[in-house]
Amino acid sequence: MNISNAYSEVTPAVPSWLNKGDNAWQMTASTLVAIQSMPGLVILYASIVKKKWAVNSAFMALYAFAAVLICWVLLCYRMAFGDELLPFWGKGAPALGQKYLVARAKVPESTHVSDGKSKTVEPYYAMATLVYFQFTFAAITLILLAGSVLGRMNIKAWMAFVPLWLIFSYTVGAFSLWGGGFLYQWGAIDYSGGFVIHLSSGISGLTAAYWVGPRLKSDRERFPPNNVLLMLAGAGLLWMGWSGFNGGAPYAANIDASIAVLNTNISAATSLLVWTTLDVIFFGKPSVIGAVQGMMTGLACITPGAGLVQSWAAIIFGFLSGSIPWVSMMVLHKKSTLLQQVDDTLGVFHTHAVAGLLGGLLTGLLAEPDLCELVLPKKTRGAFYGGNGGVQFLKQMAAASFVIAWNIASTTIILLAIRLFIPLRMPEEQLVIGDDAVHGEEAYALWGDGEKYDPTNHHGQDIAPSPYGIGARGVTINLSCSSMDSMAIGLASGSIPGYTMMCLSQKLPLLQRLMIH
């Protein structure tokens, strides 16, 4: 039987080391994770905020996705997954050369000795696949962080912050825990980003919110979603995309990927139900926003151990992630002076930092030895399984402490440096008006949330006060005629169209002359 060259066992495009199934799954997983950001979080952010911030919130996510990709291939991929510069940092270099990208994927510093054998992470596909897959993780981390500073951060400051935070913060955590750095070699576990992504974005988001300052008092007191159904669409993309997020972590289409996908969805569903139940018990009604938050905490919590714990343990992850972050957000937040002072717009600290930390510690308790052996460089187990499990739990605590400390310090230094050149916070007039003042664009051609309308961006139109209250203004073309005679003439000239033409003719001299002639 003839086989086409594209499917031959060995051709220039299909070298002997290429596993087509692994490559196809890894590119699919990459796409799923990218969809979580574009359009998932873009839609979620645009709809969960107050209407006047819809465009700005979506743009912050859109910009971050694009900027991270270019910085990633120019410098940052090899800082996170390349040769060692420091025990926590790789040597930066471009990941753009043809020879580099078509070669077999490899994480050079992941080499370790186990049972007398030297092992290195070398997936069965090209480096280009691994570069793009890891980019999608870097991008979503910045976009999650953005949720803490929506509705007031100067967009120019954000544009400077994204590449700097990627270089000096994200790459450190990624290299230390994934790229073969000191935490990886020590044996700390972060299966798919509980520490590298969720803990770091939540801690850095809270830190950034502190330095940027709070939203306007009116925005903090009333910040309703402008489109709850669209918010659910964005949340749904986030949830479904998480199968690629955790399913792609083993770098192969293997049985551990299957376990990870199943556990991810079990945890998310359990957490959503627990959060919703608590809302009903304490507030008397289920909250759709609360359900989305519960979904997120369940996803973030299972991430550091998705492929390493049994599925009954995923229910425990979901139960605790639906309750502990709920308590931190609904109870402790209101009693903490510090958390009250810092305006974390979407509660990223609770939904990602608390949930990610919780998941990392639970992994240290419930990581199953046989599952760990499938993907981890060293034999290990959670404390629940005895042996050296207690030591593993302590390693998880130490890794979390490093990530927290580094992100607080790096985020602070970056923002203080940016502040020397660019104000971190929008000017007061932009804070009052919102998207129209910041971008000259609006999500909807409607007003009514109390924001002010900026007439300078809409020339040639009459501005009429809104009949719905002071402070809410919109564009209205005044079609009222000056007399009952005009109405009669208009109606006689063809009902409403004729009436409209007669009214407009009174406003537009050129139209008057045309009608006379």
Side-chain angles (χ1 to χ4, degrees):
M1 180 171 59
N2 294 326
I3 302 174
S4 67
N5 288 336
Y7 293 93
S8 298
E9 183 178 356
V10 178
T11 71
V14 187
S16 59
W17 47 259
L18 180 69
N19 183 302
K20 296 178 183 177
D22 285 353
N23 192 43
W25 166 240
Q26 208 65 36
M27 290 192 292
T28 300
S30 302
T31 303
L32 288 170
V33 181
I35 286 173
Q36 289 183 285
S37 297
M38 283 291 299
L41 284 171
V42 171
I43 293 174
L44 179 64
Y45 283 5
S47 52
I48 201 172
V49 298
K50 197 173 184 179
K51 179 172 59 61
K52 73 174 183 176
W53 294 117
V55 172
N56 182 255
S57 300
F59 180 78
M60 287 179 71
L62 175 66
Y63 168 80
F65 191 83
V68 169
L69 177 55
I70 300 305
C71 294
W72 192 246
V73 296
L74 288 176
L75 179 68
C76 294
Y77 170 75
R78 294 173 75 171
M79 294 181 73
F81 295 92
D83 298 318
E84 180 179 306
L85 174 66
L86 297 169
F88 54 86
W89 224 354
K91 296 178 182 177
L96 288 168
Q98 173 186 334
K99 291 183 179 180
Y100 181 79
L101 293 174
V102 301
R104 181 176 172 182
K106 181 180 180 180
V107 182
E109 300 300 336
S110 64
T111 303
H112 62 281
V113 177
S114 179
D115 297 331
K117 298 180 180 179
S118 179
K119 299 179 181 178
T120 303
V121 175
E122 290 186 276
Y124 293 99
Y125 42 75
M127 184 65 80
T129 301
L130 185 59
V131 170
Y132 186 73
F133 177 71
Q134 289 296 349
F135 147 70
T136 61
F137 282 75
I140 200 172
T141 307
L142 262 301
I143 295 172
L144 291 174
L145 191 162
S148 294
V149 292
L150 298 180
R152 82 279 200 176
M153 186 170 185
N154 187 334
I155 193 63
K156 295 177 182 177
W158 173 249
M159 293 171 72
F161 177 80
V162 168
L164 291 174
W165 192 87
L166 178 69
I167 293 169
F168 294 105
S169 187
Y170 181 82
T171 56
V172 170
F175 183 81
S176 299
L177 279 157
W178 290 343
F182 77 105
L183 292 175
Y184 177 92
Q185 297 293 346
W186 190 40
I189 300 173
D190 188 8
Y191 179 83
S192 191
F195 290 166
V196 175
I197 295 175
H198 299 292
L199 183 59
S200 64
S201 63
I203 292 297
S204 292
L206 188 72
T207 305
Y210 171 81
W211 289 111
V212 173
R215 289 165 290 170
L216 291 178
K217 185 173 182 292
S218 59
D219 281 352
R220 292 194 72 179
E221 291 175 348
R222 186 173 183 274
F223 206 71
N226 68 83
N227 194 321
V228 173
L229 296 181
L230 205 57
M231 176 193 74
L232 286 174
L237 290 169
L238 194 66
W239 185 348
M240 295 302 100
W242 222 284
S243 291
F245 198 102
N246 289 345
Y251 294 158
N254 57 24
I255 57 175
D256 198 68
S258 302
I259 292 291
V261 170
L262 178 61
N263 287 347
T264 297
N265 286 275
I266 289 174
S267 176
T270 304
S271 183
L272 185 154
L273 296 175
V274 171
W275 192 294
T276 300
T277 300
L278 290 172
D279 278 348
V280 171
I281 292 172
F282 290 94
F283 303 120
K285 60 182 69 173
S287 165
V288 176
I289 297 177
V292 170
Q293 289 170 328
M295 175 206 80
M296 287 185 181
T297 56
L299 293 167
C301 185
I302 194 62
T303 292
L308 308 176
V309 302
Q310 297 191 57
S311 293
W312 58 260
I315 295 178
I316 296 175
F317 274 68
F319 180 84
L320 293 176
S321 64
S323 54
I324 292 177
W326 187 93
V327 171
S328 74
M329 178 179 285
M330 301 299 179
V331 180
L332 299 181
H333 182 94
K334 298 176 182 178
K335 295 183 179 181
S336 169
T337 303
L338 174 62
L339 292 177
Q340 283 288 303
Q341 290 176 344
V342 180
D343 181 18
D344 180 358
T345 307
L346 299 185
V348 177
F349 172 76
H350 303 285
T351 56
H352 293 278
V354 174
L357 175 61
L358 175 63
L361 298 181
L362 286 174
T363 300
L365 293 174
L366 296 171
E368 203 278 332
D370 292 337
L371 291 173
C372 289
E373 194 170 351
L374 294 177
V375 291
L376 294 184
K378 296 181 179 181
K379 289 186 177 180
T380 189
R381 62 185 63 216
F384 179 79
Y385 293 93
N388 64 348
V391 175
Q392 186 62 49
F393 182 76
L394 295 177
K395 290 180 179 180
Q396 298 300 102
M397 293 182 64
S401 299
F402 172 77
V403 170
I404 291 170
W406 185 270
N407 279 276
I408 291 174
S410 60
T411 303
T412 296
I413 293 171
I414 290 168
L415 287 171
L416 292 180
I418 292 174
R419 194 170 69 175
L420 296 175
F421 305 96
I422 307 171
L424 299 179
R425 185 177 165 85
M426 292 180 188
E428 192 71 17
E429 59 272 18
Q430 291 185 355
L431 290 171
V432 173
I433 294 170
D435 290 338
D436 194 44
V438 180
H439 300 280
E441 299 166 322
E442 292 139 348
Y444 311 104
L446 302 167
W447 289 267
D449 279 353
E451 65 269 25
K452 294 183 178 180
Y453 171 75
D454 183 3
T456 60
N457 289 330
H458 300 269
H459 303 292
Q461 294 175 310
D462 292 336
I463 309 303
S466 168
Y468 301 107
I470 299 174
R473 305 183 66 190
V475 179
T476 304
I477 304 296
N478 192 340
L479 298 178
S480 59
C481 290
S482 58
S483 67
M484 293 300 293
D485 291 341
S486 298
M487 181 180 293
I489 295 171
L491 291 173
S493 302
S495 188
I496 300 301
Y499 169 59
T500 303
M501 180 175 289
M502 292 302 300
C503 294
L504 287 174
S505 71
Q506 297 179 23
K507 296 291 185 182
L508 304 175
L510 177 61
L511 186 56
Q512 287 179 332
R513 290 195 295 272
L514 289 173
M515 291 182 69
I516 292 172
H517 294 291

